[in-house]
Amino acid sequence: MLRPKIPTMPTPTGFTAPRTAAVVEPTTAVPNVTTSPTVPTTPAPSRPVVQLTPGTVLALVGGGTAVVLVLGAVLVSLLLAVAVTGASVAVCAVVLRSLLASDAKRR
């Protein structure tokens, strides 16, 4: 398979002050020696197989149904809140219009 090549450390350019007297020598990458392909073995499964029993299936169906019902109730309540708000704003607009119109007729 593909194996990464480790890059060599580049030598610094310009003035550098060494801290110790150790000499750093660059290393070279040695190519890999390829071997003949071996017979592939079947790998063991990385995770266990999940077996569903009738009880777990019923629990999953019940949990999914509960989630759908709760989300539906939340969405319906939000829609109802928007509708009630819109109706109240409309009633306020009608009342203000009638008050302004009656005030204009009196003058």
Side-chain angles (χ1 to χ4, degrees):
M1 293 299 291
L2 301 174
R3 297 207 176 151
K5 293 182 181 178
I6 300 173
T8 59
M9 186 72 174
T11 56
T13 58
F15 176 73
T16 58
R19 287 198 265 171
T20 60
V23 176
V24 178
E25 296 180 6
T27 58
T28 59
V30 178
N32 288 336
V33 177
T34 59
T35 59
S36 62
T38 59
V39 177
T41 59
T42 56
S46 60
R47 56 182 176 169
V49 178
V50 176
Q51 294 181 352
L52 297 176
T53 61
T56 56
V57 170
L58 286 176
L60 288 174
V61 168
T65 303
V67 167
V68 167
L69 289 176
V70 168
L71 285 177
V74 168
L75 291 176
V76 166
S77 65
L78 287 174
L79 183 63
L80 185 62
V82 169
V84 167
T85 304
S88 65
V89 167
V91 168
C92 288
V94 168
V95 169
L96 284 175
R97 184 177 174 189
S98 68
L99 287 174
L100 291 174
S102 67
D103 190 35
K105 285 182 183 179
R106 278 191 240 167
R107 288 184 185 190

